[in-house]
Amino acid sequence: AQSVTQLGSHVSVSEGALVLLRCNYSSSVPPYLFWYVQYPNQGLQLLLKYTSAATLVKGINGFEAEFKKSETSFHLTKPSAHMSDAAEYFCAVSLPSGNSGYALNFGKGTSLLVTP
Amino acid sequence: EAGVAQSPRYKIIEKRQSVAFWCNPISGHATLYWYQQILGQGPKLLIQFQNNGVVDDSQLPKDRFSAERLKGVDSTLKIQPAKLEDSAVYLCASSLYQLRHLTLNTEAFFGQGTRLTVV
């Protein structure tokens, strides 16, 4: 079955530094991949998604991710961290669900801390 | 556009009591999901509806959990009786449709969730 693994449950960066959050997927075929962000006491908000149209995907708030089939990776990056980026980030893959649908299968999440 | 609405936001109950959560998806969204998010973990799918039919409930603990979406719009998730390990955030999400035979997979929008504490 397809799944995602997020490396590092906690990542700490300084304000203005590069953000790199790692996600690897296990799949024999190109999957639908997503990054979601969750702020405290909030639901999940979609940052970006890969649907095989382009390997470099740009999302909201300056985030982007690159799909690398050879490395089975979909790492999330942002050139310069802001204090407001502190949140929990989830990588997810869309899996067949039941007989006719799709559902998201999430990684365990990475908590991003941004220090002044 | 109104988002996915969930209520209540917070609930504290004693073990063995029952509890119900309500979700109203985005208007026109055929697919509705209930996820359970235990502290420190990613969300786990409990049940998926397409209109008023169940697509997947393979991970729903059916001895204590039930869910319905009778008119294909809003949905209720119930736990009876609750256990300590049911303490979690219950997230509802909706999407326009998820049609595997057409390889159509649209974005899921999430509500703010209901935080359940079982004591």
Side-chain angles (χ1 to χ4, degrees):
Chain A
Q2 300 176 32
S3 66
V4 291
T5 302
Q6 292 185 242
L7 301 175
S9 58
H10 294 83
V11 170
S12 181
V13 300
S14 299
E15 191 175 17
L18 171 72
V19 175
L20 171 60
L21 304 182
R22 301 177 186 273
C23 174
N24 288 89
Y25 67 92
S26 61
S27 171
S28 60
V29 296
Y32 291 103
L33 288 163
F34 304 79
W35 276 99
Y36 279 84
V37 62
Q38 187 177 33
Y39 298 101
N41 298 315
Q42 299 292 320
L44 281 77
Q45 179 184 9
L46 180 67
L47 280 177
L48 48 81
K49 62 182 178 183
Y50 168 76
T51 57
S52 75
T55 56
L56 183 61
V57 182
K58 294 187 183 299
I60 61 171
N61 301 339
F63 284 93
E64 62 182 37
E66 186 172 8
F67 175 76
K68 291 187 177 180
K69 185 178 180 180
S70 61
E71 299 177 5
T72 61
S73 68
F74 189 57
H75 300 333
L76 182 70
T77 61
K78 181 174 181 177
S80 176
H82 295 164
M83 296 297 291
S84 60
D85 294 327
E88 191 82 13
Y89 291 81
F90 292 95
C91 181
V93 63
S94 184
L95 295 176
S97 174
N99 293 324
S100 60
Y102 289 103
L104 292 171
N105 185 18
F106 288 89
K108 292 186 176 181
T110 298
S111 180
L112 177 65
L113 175 66
V114 182
T115 57
Chain B
E1 176 181 89
V4 176
Q6 290 188 248
S7 67
R9 286 296 312 277
Y10 305 93
K11 190 74 176 179
I12 301 174
I13 62 171
E14 295 182 349
K15 59 183 179 183
R16 291 186 290 273
Q17 285 187 324
S18 63
V19 65
F21 312 128
W22 176 81
C23 172
N24 192 23
I26 292 174
S27 178
H29 280 195
T31 306
L32 185 147
Y33 311 85
W34 282 102
Y35 283 87
Q36 180 193 57
Q37 185 178 18
I38 293 173
L39 185 64
Q41 298 182 20
K44 182 187 81 170
L45 180 70
L46 290 175
I47 188 168
Q48 178 182 354
F49 292 94
Q50 183 77 11
N51 297 310
N52 60 351
V54 175
V55 173
D56 185 359
D57 63 356
S58 59
Q59 298 191 79
L60 187 73
K62 298 180 185 65
D63 58 334
R64 298 183 300 106
F65 286 65
S66 64
E68 59 184 16
R69 193 185 184 198
L70 293 176
K71 297 182 178 179
V73 181
D74 56 348
S75 175
T76 302
L77 176 69
K78 297 180 182 178
I79 307 175
Q80 183 179 11
K83 292 185 176 181
L84 296 177
E85 58 260 37
D86 298 332
S87 295
V89 175
Y90 291 85
L91 294 164
C92 179
S94 70
S95 63
L96 272 174
Y97 43 72
Q98 303 289 348
L99 302 174
R100 198 189 315 166
H101 68 285
L102 297 177
T103 318
L104 288 172
N105 187 347
T106 61
E107 176 186 346
F109 295 83
F110 285 80
Q112 291 187 307
T114 296
R115 182 176 298 276
L116 174 67
T117 302
V118 183
V119 298

